[in-house]
């Protein structure tokens, strides 16, 4: 008997593989947290190359070690992010010529295409981090970069809006949306994508010295954040109703955790907007207000995280699709919640507990909470490497692609 051809053996492609690009980019942010909150950057909302080099030259050994770890981590994950992006762009180009793509465009799974603008927005955000960390003198020209970045995010957001236009134009006119198979939070993915565009558009609001740029940033980011919230609320209700009636979809179970990264992204966007309103438009909020918001949203994340882990454990998801032999493109959705919770803990600790005076910086309590964030970060690095080796390191096994 002749052996199957390479084309026959090759795993079927899914747009959900763009979540691998997203995961690598998100992990870059976890390393940037070391620099954001541990490297002094007076007069600027974020640390830049000059701040980092100055801290490395004069800082204590632990700070130097953290800077080295951050820069190595950001560089390595940036490479992994771009490598994954190229792999996905090639994959989706070939996928669009298949019957599977035509079938996807007429099913619930059409919204999986929103993983593409989600990943592209993350790449732009990641590129800005690379510039801040590795490019000397970037802050001297950053005001010229903000309009270009906003144009890029608007184009990515517009691409996402066209995908959702086609989806809603089909299901709201012709029907055909299968509510019974909507037994997950897979339909919340578009909300996550628009939130990622929104947080990118909000960056100039926090960083620009121009009131015009900051105001435009506030307005544009608000549009995509509002769209994200509306989509999230509607689809969480629809998905929860279907799960209560039909049970959760085993392969799509990781989507139950998608609320966690969605909250982190929207929270950062709000904090960026609030900073811009404070600097340019005389809107003032205290440390206690920030602590209240961050604590409330973190508690929501922990509740959702506990629910999602309960369902995943009941399905034995990790032993099947992560450490076991079965393969599902949707397993990359496990990376985002851990990354998001790690980032949220850094913000809660530094912008909430420390800023309000509840915890002293670098005290024992501070180090313990930071250790939890770092433990989540290390676990997600392991998960990304494990999944990449499993899904992108060979072509000998079939992949289970969540269809809805």
């Amino acid at each position: 008997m002749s052996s199957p051809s390479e084309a026959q053996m090759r795993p079927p492609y899914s747009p959900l593989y763009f979540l691998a690009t997203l995961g690598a980019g998100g992990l870059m942010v976890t390393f940037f947290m070391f620099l954001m909150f541990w490297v002094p950057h007076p007069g600027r909302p974020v640390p830049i190359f000059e701040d980092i080099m100055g801290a490395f030259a004069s800082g204590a050994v632990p700070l130097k070690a953290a800077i080295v770890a951050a820069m190595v981590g950001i560089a390595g994950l940036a490479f992994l992010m771009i490598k994954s992006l190229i792999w996905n762009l090639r994959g989706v180009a070939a996928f669009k010529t298949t019957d599977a793509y035509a079938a996807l465009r007429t099913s619930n799974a059409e919204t999986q295409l929103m993983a593409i603008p989600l990943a592209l927005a993350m790449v732009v955000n990641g590129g800005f981090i690379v510039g801040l960390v590795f490019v000397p003198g970037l802050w001297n020209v950053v005001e010229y970069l903000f309009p270009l970045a906003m144009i890029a995010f608007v184009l990515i957001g517009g691409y996402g809006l066209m995908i959702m236009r086609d989806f809603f134009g089909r299901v709201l006119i012709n029907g055909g949306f299968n509510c019974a198979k909507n037994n997950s939070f897979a339909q919340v993915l578009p909300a996550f994508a628009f939130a990622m565009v929104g947080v990118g558009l909000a960056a100039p609001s926090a960083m620009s010295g121009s009131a015009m740029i900051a105001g435009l940033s506030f307005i544009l980011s608000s549009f995509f954040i509002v769209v994200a919230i509306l989509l999230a609320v509607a689809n969480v209700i629809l998905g929860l109703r279907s799960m209560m009636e039909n049970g959760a979809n085993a392969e799509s179970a990781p989507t139950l955790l998608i609320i966690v990264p969605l909250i982190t992204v929207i929270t950062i966007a709000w904090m960026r907007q609030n900073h811009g309103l404070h600097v340019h438009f005389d809107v003032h909020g205290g440390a206690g207000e920030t602590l209240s918001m961050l604590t409330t949203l973190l508690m929501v994340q922990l509740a959702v995280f506990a629910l999602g882990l309960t369902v995943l454990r009941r399905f034995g998801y990790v032993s099947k699709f992560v450490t076991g032999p079965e393969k599902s493109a949707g397993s990359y959705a496990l990376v985002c919640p851990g990354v998001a919770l790690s980032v949220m803990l850094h913000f809660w600790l530094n912008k909430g507990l420390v800023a309000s005076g509840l915890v002293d910086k670098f005290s024992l309590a501070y180090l313990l909470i930071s250790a939890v964030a770092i433990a989540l970060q290390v676990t997600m690095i392991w998960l990304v490497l494990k999944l990449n080796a499993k899904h992108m390191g060979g072509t000998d096994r079939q992949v289970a692609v969540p269809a809805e």
Side-chain angles (χ1 to χ4, degrees):
M1 179 183 296
S2 60
S3 60
S5 66
E6 181 181 346
Q8 291 172 321
M9 294 170 62
R10 185 176 299 120
Y13 181 80
S14 166
L16 292 180
Y17 277 124
F18 274 93
L19 296 180
T21 305
L22 175 70
L27 282 168
M28 288 175 60
V29 178
T30 64
F31 278 106
F32 187 69
M33 293 296 97
F34 297 180
L35 307 175
M36 178 74 178
F37 295 118
W38 300 344
V39 170
H41 44 93
R44 280 181 292 270
V46 291
I48 60 175
F49 175 82
E50 288 77 8
D51 296 321
I52 298 167
M53 291 299 100
F56 186 80
S58 60
V61 172
L63 179 58
K64 290 182 178 181
I67 290 173
V68 170
M71 296 185 75
V72 171
I74 290 170
L77 288 162
F79 172 79
L80 194 62
M81 179 180 68
I82 298 302
K83 179 181 177 182
S84 173
L85 177 65
I86 294 171
W87 186 90
N88 272 295
L89 290 174
R90 290 174 176 171
V92 79
F95 177 64
K96 287 183 176 181
T97 65
T98 66
D99 293 336
Y101 175 75
L104 178 139
R105 294 304 299 262
T106 59
S107 70
N108 291 16
E110 184 175 13
T111 54
Q112 290 181 6
L113 294 172
M114 287 299 294
I116 303 174
L118 172 59
L120 292 176
M122 183 73 255
V123 168
V124 177
N125 282 315
F128 195 72
I129 288 176
V130 170
L132 289 174
V133 174
F134 294 105
V135 180
L138 182 70
W139 204 252
N140 296 327
V141 297
V142 73
E143 292 293 346
Y144 299 101
L145 299 179
F146 286 142
L148 298 177
M150 287 197 294
I151 291 171
F153 281 117
V154 167
L155 291 175
I156 293 169
Y159 173 48
L161 289 172
M162 288 191 292
I163 293 174
M164 296 308 295
R165 175 202 62 190
D166 293 344
F167 173 75
F168 281 120
R170 174 174 61 82
V171 300
L172 295 181
I173 302 301
N174 302 322
F177 185 80
N178 192 327
C179 292
K181 292 185 177 181
N182 186 37
N183 51 341
S184 70
F185 286 162
Q187 296 300 322
V188 182
L189 179 66
F192 189 17
F194 288 128
M196 188 64 71
V197 172
V199 75
L201 280 168
S205 182
M207 302 181 199
S208 178
S210 165
M212 179 64 70
I213 293 296
L216 183 59
S217 165
F218 176 84
I219 293 168
L220 292 174
S221 60
S222 294
F223 171 78
F224 285 101
I225 292 167
V226 168
V227 170
I229 292 173
L230 291 174
L231 285 173
V233 171
N235 285 299
V236 163
I237 294 172
L238 291 173
L240 188 59
R241 183 199 178 281
S242 182
M243 284 187 282
M244 296 292 285
E245 181 177 351
N246 305 292
N249 182 304
E251 288 180 27
S252 298
T255 64
L256 297 180
L257 297 169
I258 197 172
I259 303 302
V260 176
L262 178 65
I263 288 176
T264 292
V265 169
I266 290 177
T267 299
I268 295 173
W270 280 340
M271 293 187 69
R272 288 175 169 180
Q273 288 183 330
N274 288 339
H275 184 79
L277 291 173
H278 168 71
V279 172
H280 296 288
F281 304 105
D282 202 30
V283 176
H284 304 288
E289 181 182 347
T290 301
L291 172 64
S292 175
M293 179 187 73
L294 288 172
T295 301
T296 300
L297 293 174
L298 176 61
M299 295 308 111
V300 174
Q301 287 180 305
L302 292 177
V304 171
F305 203 77
L307 173 64
L309 290 182
T310 298
V311 175
L312 288 168
R313 188 161 47 244
R314 289 291 184 92
F315 279 129
Y317 188 93
V318 173
S319 61
K320 288 181 181 178
F321 294 105
V322 178
T323 60
E326 296 186 50
K327 298 168 73 174
S328 172
S331 57
Y332 276 100
L334 290 173
V335 178
C336 302
V339 167
L341 198 55
S342 175
V343 171
M344 190 68 161
L345 282 172
H346 281 292
F347 273 94
W348 178 64
L349 174 59
N350 290 277
K351 294 294 188 179
L353 298 179
V354 173
S356 62
L358 287 177
V359 171
D360 292 329
K361 196 164 187 177
F362 301 125
S363 64
L364 178 60
Y366 184 96
L367 295 176
L368 288 175
I369 296 172
S370 296
V372 175
I374 293 171
L376 284 166
Q377 175 189 23
V378 171
T379 303
M380 292 306 104
I381 292 172
W382 170 84
L383 181 58
V384 165
L385 296 177
K386 176 73 174 178
L387 292 176
N388 283 356
K390 186 173 186 177
H391 289 263
M392 301 179 185
T395 57
D396 58 333
R397 296 181 214 165
Q398 290 294 305
V399 175
V401 178
E404 303 297 339

